[in-house]
Amino acid sequence: MREIFEGFSAGCAVATPDFWSDVDVGDISTAVRLLYGRHAKTAAAWCAICARSDGRSGDFKFWVRVFEHLGPEEFMEIRKQKRLS
């Protein structure tokens, strides 16, 4: 994937500061779960992808930790809903 972007100018992405790297992972995990419900892990994954593509390595690591903190509960909830329907 990196090869695709090598031809493009880095522009402001290189100078983009980390926004989330100093925030508590547990607090944000709770907020993400409240906002996105069963799609919380997907939302955290997209945040990680966006941070990575913007060159914000601290934010990328933060969102990966949020993703990991959310755990498998999201998938267990989906399985329970499928069984009930």
Side-chain angles (χ1 to χ4, degrees):
M1 181 87 170
R2 182 174 299 275
E3 300 83 28
I4 294 172
F5 296 105
E6 284 179 354
F8 294 97
S9 168
C12 64
V14 173
T16 304
D18 290 335
F19 300 108
W20 297 97
S21 57
D22 61 344
V23 182
D24 183 60
V25 171
D27 290 344
I28 297 301
S29 297
T30 301
V32 169
R33 190 172 299 285
L34 288 172
L35 284 171
Y36 296 102
R38 66 186 183 111
H39 301 292
K41 283 191 79 134
T42 303
W46 275 109
C47 289
I49 290 169
C50 291
R52 178 70 173 212
S53 66
D54 286 346
R56 296 180 284 125
S57 61
D59 285 353
F60 171 73
K61 292 173 187 173
F62 170 80
W63 283 109
V64 168
R65 288 193 318 267
V66 170
F67 180 86
E68 291 170 346
H69 189 266
L70 288 168
E73 294 86 16
E74 175 183 352
F75 300 109
M76 298 307 289
E77 181 181 321
I78 292 170
R79 286 183 183 170
K80 286 179 187 177
Q81 289 176 357
K82 285 183 180 180
R83 287 183 198 158
L84 295 175
S85 56

